[in-house]
């Protein structure tokens, strides 16, 4: 029997990372998680191990620390890296650009340098629909050029994609998959792991979930006068488990040399008001809301052309909006204060 392949997952204690570690364990991979716990939870990895019935190796450390990276690559035979680690709050990135470029771009460079030293040239990178920029026509297609990003967070993702492309030009041995996520929401169906943002949630779904458990009095809907049918912005929300499974599909694609980008989304846009009504319908919990001023930097609507991921990776989103709402609620109601609830 052949040995199980080992995957290094940076940021594996975070929201998308923890769900992906679970899918990797369930697919038979060995997993090493590297996370500095700046926004992740050790408990998330422990719960993943309990669900999978298998252990991962957890290393607490920073992707900017090359000695930790070298130690990981010398003590494990790493087949590929899935790289989630980084800072992700759009508004904070405008306030702290140096920190965002240092951690996201600098941290990725440290990781890539360690990979080169260890001769590991397979990487799946957490990119974002934000790299299409503010002028791109919808639905977003991978053939579009990267556009003008409107904040340092988005710019850091576009820069990293460019760096990975240059790496593939420099050395034909590299295999890179840039996964451009749209709006991941939801939680594992067990309700044991899910999104647990620190402080006031920036994103819509965790905010709705915290209103539902009484942690916040009401939702502010940012703008009701957009040129959409109901006046609120539309996004392509996808279930985090579909997204996590997309990473396992991407690992299978890594035999293809060069740099590849795939959208991971459902291909269907949903408005903020439709999100609120879907949550209320599925859970039976009312969400008080008020329509307020637009949020700076928000685009009226964007969604994925999800065809390429289906053709090339054999991936498409399977779970519908009701499942996203049900699973969010199962997680949030069982863990009203996130991982510190129990
Ligand atoms: P998250 O904050 O829950 O996960 C990121 C993890 O990385 C956390 O566990 C954090 O502790 C860890 N981390 C941060 N800096 C680190 C460092 N210097 N060294 C080691 N570990 C570090 O975020 P998430 O929502 O799971 O996002 C994962 C990735 O996907 C990020 O790169 C994010 O930019 C990208 N992404 C997220 C979304 C989204 O809507 N959530 C959309 C597109 C792309
Ligand atoms: C969705 C919609 C808001 C909160 C962000 C990043 C993007 C990507 C995913 C990483 C918008 C509205 C929100 C609230 C609201 N991340 N909203 N009230 O802005 O599409 O994308 O996360 O790459 O880069 O920009 O997601 O969940 O913040 O907002 O009305 O309290 O919900 O205005 O229309 P967004 P979001």
């Amino acid at each position: 029997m052949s040995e199980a392949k080992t995957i290094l997952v940076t940021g594996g204690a975070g929201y998308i990372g923890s769900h992906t570690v679970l899918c990797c364990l369930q697919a038979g991979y060995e997993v090493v998680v590297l996370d500095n716990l700046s926004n992740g939870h050790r408990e998330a990895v422990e719960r993943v191990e309990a669900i999978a019935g298998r252990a991962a190796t957890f290393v607490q450390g920073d992707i900017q620390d090359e000695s930790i990276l070298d130690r990981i690559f010398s003590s494990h035979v790493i087949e590929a890296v899935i790289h989630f680690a980084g800072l992700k709050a759009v508004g904070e990135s405008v306030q702290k650009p140096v920190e965002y470029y240092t951690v996201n771009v600098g941290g990725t460079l440290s990781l890539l340098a360690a990979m080169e030293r260890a001769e590991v040239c397979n990487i799946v990178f957490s990119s974002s629909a934000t790299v299409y920029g503010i002028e791109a026509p919808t639905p977003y297609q991978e053939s579009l050029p990267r556009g003008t990003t409107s904040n340092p967070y988005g710019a850091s993702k576009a820069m990293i994609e460019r760096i990975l492309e240059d790496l593939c030009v420099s050395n034909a041995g590299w295999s890179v998959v840039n996964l451009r996520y749209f709006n991941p929401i939801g939680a594992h169906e067990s309700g044991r792991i899910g999104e647990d943002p620190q402080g006031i949630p920036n994103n819509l779904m965790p905010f709705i979930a915290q209103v539902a458990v009484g942690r916040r009095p009401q939702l502010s809907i940012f703008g009701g006068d957009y040129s959409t049918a109901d006046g609120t912005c539309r996004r392509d929300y996808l279930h985090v488990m579909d997204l996590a499974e997309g990473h396992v599909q991407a690992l299978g694609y890594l035999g293809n040399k060069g740099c590849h980008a795939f959208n991971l989304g459902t291909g269907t846009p949903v408005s903020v008001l439709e999100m609120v009504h879907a949550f209320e319908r599925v859970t039976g919990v009312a969400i008080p809301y008020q329509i307020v001023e637009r949020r700076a930097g928000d685009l009226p609507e964007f969604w994925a052309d999800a065809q390429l991921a289906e053709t090339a990776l054999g991936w498409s989103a399977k779970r519908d909006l009701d499942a996203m709402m049900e699973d969010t609620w199962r997680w949030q109601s069982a863990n009203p204060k996130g991982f510190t609830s129990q």
Side-chain angles (χ1 to χ4, degrees), residues 147-288:
T148 310
T149 47
S150 55
N151 55 75
Y153 166 76
S156 76
K157 291 289 173 191
M159 283 178 199
I160 295 166
E161 283 204 2
R162 174 63 201 265
I163 291 165
L164 290 166
E165 284 167 9
D166 289 345
L167 203 52
C168 291
V169 171
S170 76
N171 178 343
W174 275 88
S175 182
V176 173
V177 174
N178 289 319
L179 295 179
R180 296 174 176 168
Y181 314 156
F182 281 67
N183 288 58
I185 61 169
H188 184 257
E189 61 182 11
S190 66
R192 297 283 294 147
I193 54 171
E195 187 168 14
D196 182 12
Q198 292 177 4
I200 301 171
N202 298 307
N203 298 113
L204 178 64
M205 195 69 236
F207 204 106
I208 291 176
Q210 291 195 7
V211 171
V213 288
R215 279 174 71 181
R216 317 259 161 218
Q218 68 172 5
L219 171 72
S220 294
I221 294 184
F222 301 136
D225 57 353
Y226 285 97
S227 56
T228 56
D230 65 20
T232 64
C233 293
R234 300 200 305 161
R235 295 288 182 271
D236 184 338
Y237 298 94
L238 81 156
H239 197 295
V240 68
M241 286 304 296
D242 280 326
L243 180 58
E245 288 166 8
H247 290 74
V248 176
Q249 299 294 107
L251 287 175
Y253 190 81
L254 282 173
N256 294 285
K257 300 296 179 199
C259 196
H260 311 271
F262 300 108
N263 290 339
L264 295 186
T266 63
T268 305
V270 178
S271 78
V272 178
L273 274 173
E274 287 168 341
M275 291 290 284
V276 170
H277 295 144
F279 186 87
E280 292 180 327
R281 178 173 48 73
V282 168
T283 66
V285 181
I287 301 298

Side-chain angles (χ1 to χ4, degrees), residues 80-95:
V81 177
I82 306 180
H83 178 33
F84 294 103
L87 303 176
K88 66 160 183 176
V90 170
E92 185 184 57
S93 79
V94 177
Q95 306 306 319

Side-chain angles (χ1 to χ4, degrees), residues 5-9 20-21 23-25 27-31 78-84 122-125 175-177 179 243-256 262 264 313 315:
K5 291 177 176 166
T6 303
I7 309 300
L8 170 61
V9 182
T20 302
V21 170
C23 289
C24 288
L25 289 173
Y29 290 103
E30 299 292 335
V31 176
I78 303 291
E79 175 74 16
V81 177
I82 306 180
H83 178 33
F84 294 103
N122 294 316
I123 185 166
V124 177
F125 171 59
S175 182
V176 173
V177 174
L179 295 179
L243 180 58
E245 288 166 8
H247 290 74
V248 176
Q249 299 294 107
L251 287 175
Y253 190 81
L254 282 173
N256 294 285
F262 300 108
L264 295 186
L313 303 180
W315 178 90

Side-chain angles (χ1 to χ4, degrees), residues 14-16 35-36 38-40 62-63 84 88 153 157 181:
Y15 171 45
I16 306 169
D35 198 302
N36 67 0
S38 59
N39 200 41
D62 201 293
I63 51 164
F84 294 103
K88 66 160 183 176
Y153 166 76
K157 291 289 173 191
Y181 314 156

